Structures are given as structure tokens and as C-alpha cells.
Amino acid sequence: MELTRRKFLGGAAIAAAGAVVGRRVRRAGGAPAPLKIGLLLPYSNVYAVLGESITDGLSLVFEREGWSVAGRRVELIKEDDEVNPQIGLRKVKKLIESDGVDFLVGPVSSGVLAAIRDTVHQARRILIVANAGNDEISRDRCSRYIFRASFSNWQPNSPMGGWVAAHVAKEAYLVAPKYAAGFDMMRAFKETFGAAGGTVVGEDYTPFPVNEDFAPFLTKIKQAAPKVVYAFFSGSQAVRFVRQYDEFGLRGRSRLCGAGFLTETDVLPAEGSAALGIITGHFYSTLLENRTNQAFLREFRDKYKRTPDGFAVQGYDTAQVIVHALTATGGDTRDRDRLVDALRSVEFDSPRGRFRFDPKTQNVIQPFIYVREVREVGGELANVVIDRIANVKDPGTGCTLPG
Ligand code: BEZ
């Protein structure tokens, strides 16, 4: 009953939006302008698979909408940022100035987001961040034109500091790549770990974006023999780290914990049994039983013949944000203030739970951060939820920058 009503109301809103666009178009005497969405994502290098997952999740929603939103045909313009801030900056300028995109989506790397933030803000172009977690974007470098549908780096890691101290051990060695995301995530973990009586016995930052060999760092960890190692790695670096950790014989000695990206579904099959027992914090697990997640898993598997990951959820949610906001404005993207207001009001059921933005930061409020342990489920590795922390908001207090 509830679904039928929602579907009816959604359909009516879309029909009304179409009529508005239609009226505008009839006056102008042409077809509605396409809705141009610039995807600034990595399609090569360490985070290539993340970029593909985000694109696939996003495409699933637009396909369901018949590649048309509020009467406007959806056009995706894909640019590979190569996980390189300078390349990202060049490509974002091209998307804004030459392609005239209505929305920007991306990037994956905090380094790229830091580089493009001012250009996006000054151009007053709407950016929906679909991964990059730099805390500063929810704090002193926030922008009225930037929304984040993924997470801030603080969000999965701050709850984990207290949880690890209470449930695993009070002595940890930290390791992460040497760039903004690694620093943010370790800082968030340390704050709550220390407050809960934990001690950090060592801390290392590894080369980024290229690093084949973790041996020098694993040697130091072996010598320190900590009770816990807390790590952030993602993409191809997660696979290498987890495998080398096992090869070094550390798996049975120091419990490996970390941010969820370390064992997400994109990397688990390649990590294999080396990942068993790793505990991570993340806003998603494929094992969530809510109806939206069940439908998402079915749709995604039918289309792509693989199991989705949290990055695909981020793409899926980003597209839903665009559909809901555009439906509310009747397809209008020119009146930026109206569009920003519509975006701030967006709310819907996501595979991760109820999706809404925190009005203070324009960053998603995580319905839960799930504490997950890698176990074998039905012959496959999966992130089994063993605990959860509700309603996790970035502590940003509001964007006070002008304009
Ligand atoms: C980041 O750079 O913000 C990031 C990259 C991969 C996974 C999570 C965060």
C-alpha cells in the first residue's frame, strides 16, 4: 500500500515536472536541453575499479528512469582523473567550460577533491561527491554548491576507535597511504581510540598512489608486535596490503582492523582467505536485509553479473539525489539557489538505510556505521555485520564561507 502510494505521488510529480519543461520548451520552440552530467572519476590507476563501480551504480538508476529526468534526456560525459589532482583540475575545467555540464559527479580521491574545490565553488556548479572523503569539505572548505552522497573520512573511522578499544585491544599500530584520506582517517580513529584508553604504538604512511611493496612497513609492524593493526587502503592497494600482511605471518599475531574499504566487495575475491577475520567499519554491507538493498542487489546482479560494493551504492545514491532534486525543480538547473534548496531537502530509501543530507554540512548522515567481520557465507567471503552505531554525522558545524 505504502509503495503504491509513493509510486503514484512520484509519478505525478514527474508528470508535473515534465509539463513545466514542456511549457518552457514550447515557448522556446525546441527540444528540452539534455541534462549533462560530468563524471570526474578514476578509470585508471589504483582506484580504477572504484570509478567503474560508481558509474555502474549511477547508470542503473538512470536506466530505470529511461535515461530521462523531468523531461530532460540524460547525457553522461566521462572523464578519467587518473587519481591525479592536476589532471582532475584540468578535466573539471573542461567539463564546466567546454561541456557546460549541469552536474559534476565524483571524484574518488581526497587529493583530487581538494584540487578542484575552488574551481567548482567559483563556477557555482553543483558537485555531488560520490566518494572522496576529505573532512575539510564538510568543515572549513565547505561550499554551498558541494554535496556529499558518500561519507566524510571521519565517519567510518571515528566510531571504530572506541569500538576497537572496547572490543579488540587497547594497543594499536596505524598504517595508511600518505595523502589526505590516510591522514584524516587515522586522525579520526586516534581521537576516539585514545579517549577510550587506547595507545598508538606506531604509525606509518605509505607511498601513494603507487606502492607495490609493503614489506618495509610490515617488518616494522612485526617487530612492534601490536595487538591490533588499524589500516586504511582501498582498490589495488587494499588487495596488496591484505595479501602481504598474510604472507608476512601477521594474520595470526596482530588483529587487522580498519576502514571498510579494506575489505569491500570490489577487493574481497582477490584477497581471498587472507581477508578472513578482518574487522572494518563501513556504512554498507551487501548482507543488509532491508527491502531497498534486496532490490538493489537483484537489479545490479541482473545487469552486471557481479555483486555490488559500497562504491556502487554511492553511485546509485548520487543518481537518486539528482533525480529527486530535478523532479522538485521541474527540470530547472539554471536557478542555482532553487536547485541547492531542492538538493538540501532530498530524502529517500537507499540500500544503506534512509538517505538525507545534514543541512549543516551537506554531507550524508550515515543511518549506521556497521562493524563488519569477514567470514565465509554460503561458500563466499562477505562482510558480516557484528555491531552497528546509529546516526553518524560529521562534526562539521556549518558552512560560513561567503557565496
Ligand atoms: C579518498 O581519497 O577520500 C578515498 C579513496 C578511496 C576510498 C576511500 C576514500
Side-chain angles (χ1 to χ4, degrees):
M1 181 67 191
E2 197 203 331
L3 254 187
T4 314
R5 182 179 145 75
R6 201 178 306 136
K7 218 169 172 180
F8 168 74
L9 290 175
I14 288 166
V20 172
V21 172
R23 273 200 301 280
R24 197 175 64 226
V25 167
R26 266 198 296 282
R27 274 203 302 274
L35 177 71
K36 292 190 186 177
I37 302 176
L39 304 187
L40 182 73
L41 290 166
Y43 296 108
S44 58
N45 298 332
V46 54
Y47 293 152
V49 174
L50 286 62
E52 294 295 349
S53 274
I54 292 168
T55 307
D56 287 348
L58 175 126
S59 301
L60 208 55
V61 173
F62 290 132
E63 186 148 311
R64 196 172 59 201
E65 300 293 326
W67 291 98
S68 170
V69 179
R72 294 178 66 179
R73 182 174 54 78
V74 176
E75 192 180 311
L76 299 184
I77 304 172
K78 288 164 69 173
E79 290 293 346
D80 180 5
D81 67 26
E82 302 174 36
V83 200
N84 179 318
Q86 290 323 308
I87 294 175
L89 183 58
R90 183 157 49 76
K91 300 260 174 99
V92 90
K93 285 182 178 163
K94 180 242 174 208
L95 287 167
I96 294 172
E97 291 160 16
S98 310
D99 299 318
V101 295
D102 298 286
F103 285 94
L104 291 157
V105 167
V108 160
S109 163
S110 288
V112 175
L113 181 53
I116 67 170
R117 184 263 170 213
D118 290 352
T119 300
V120 171
H121 179 74
Q122 279 150 19
R124 301 177 72 238
R125 211 53 55 100
I126 302 294
L127 167 64
I128 317 281
V129 179
N131 187 76
N134 341 20
D135 292 337
E136 61 179 0
I137 296 299
S138 297
R139 304 186 196 169
D140 54 339
R141 294 193 77 206
C142 57
S143 161
R144 179 169 165 67
Y145 306 107
I146 302 180
F147 289 77
R148 186 152 45 196
S150 42
F151 54 87
S152 75
N153 288 328
W154 183 93
Q155 282 179 306
N157 295 286
S158 177
M160 285 304 282
W163 196 91
V164 169
H167 299 281
V168 188
K170 288 194 164 54
E171 187 193 83
Y173 198 110
L174 314 187
V175 57
K178 194 175 187 169
Y179 81 109
F183 302 138
D184 277 351
M185 295 202 200
M186 296 304 113
R187 189 185 316 115
F189 176 85
K190 268 191 288 187
E191 278 166 11
T192 50
F193 187 64
T199 306
V200 174
V201 296
E203 188 170 353
D204 277 313
Y205 293 92
T206 62
F208 182 83
V210 181
N211 184 31
E212 302 280 323
D213 185 10
F214 289 98
F217 305 99
L218 295 169
T219 305
K220 282 176 71 182
I221 291 172
K222 204 167 193 175
Q223 279 161 2
K227 295 212 167 62
V228 169
V229 171
Y230 191 82
F232 156 60
F233 291 104
S234 189
S236 54
Q237 287 205 345
V239 177
R240 280 203 192 92
F241 182 80
V242 166
R243 281 201 189 160
Q244 291 177 20
Y245 193 87
D246 186 35
E247 284 156 17
F248 254 72
L250 280 164
R251 194 153 67 93
R253 298 187 188 196
S254 301
R255 187 71 184 256
L256 185 52
C257 301
F261 321 100
L262 192 63
T263 61
E264 255 310 284
T265 317
D266 60 319
V267 290
L268 258 188
E271 291 171 352
S273 59
L276 279 169
I278 298 177
I279 294 176
T280 60
H282 199 42
F283 63 79
Y284 179 68
S285 159
T286 50
L287 300 177
L288 298 184
E289 283 173 359
N290 70 70
R291 277 164 53 183
T292 311
N293 189 42
Q294 294 310 309
F296 168 67
L297 289 169
R298 220 174 20 251
E299 273 180 74
F300 194 96
R301 283 178 174 139
D302 279 358
K303 180 153 176 61
Y304 300 110
K305 315 293 175 221
R306 68 175 206 277
T307 299
D309 48 43
F311 306 107
V313 173
Q314 293 164 187
Y316 193 77
D317 285 351
T318 296
Q320 302 213 69
V321 165
I322 293 174
V323 170
H324 279 78
L326 227 67
T327 301
T329 66
D332 181 16
T333 45
R334 290 197 185 162
D335 183 341
R336 294 278 199 275
D337 291 330
R338 188 171 170 219
L339 187 54
V340 164
D341 287 345
L343 284 159
R344 288 166 68 91
S345 304
V346 158
E347 236 190 283
F348 56 88
D349 286 327
S350 149
R352 70 177 103 177
R354 191 78 184 154
F355 184 104
R356 62 204 166 96
F357 289 116
D358 181 348
K360 285 194 184 141
T361 56
Q362 302 190 158
N363 186 77
V364 57
I365 298 171
Q366 306 298 348
F368 293 99
I369 290 296
Y370 297 98
V371 182
R372 318 162 323 163
E373 179 175 346
V374 177
R375 294 184 190 157
E376 211 173 287
V377 180
E380 278 184 9
L381 295 179
N383 288 292
V384 176
V385 174
I386 56 173
D387 204 351
R388 61 184 199 176
I389 296 102
N391 207 28
V392 180
K393 286 184 193 178
D394 186 273
T397 52
C399 191
T400 52
L401 295 176

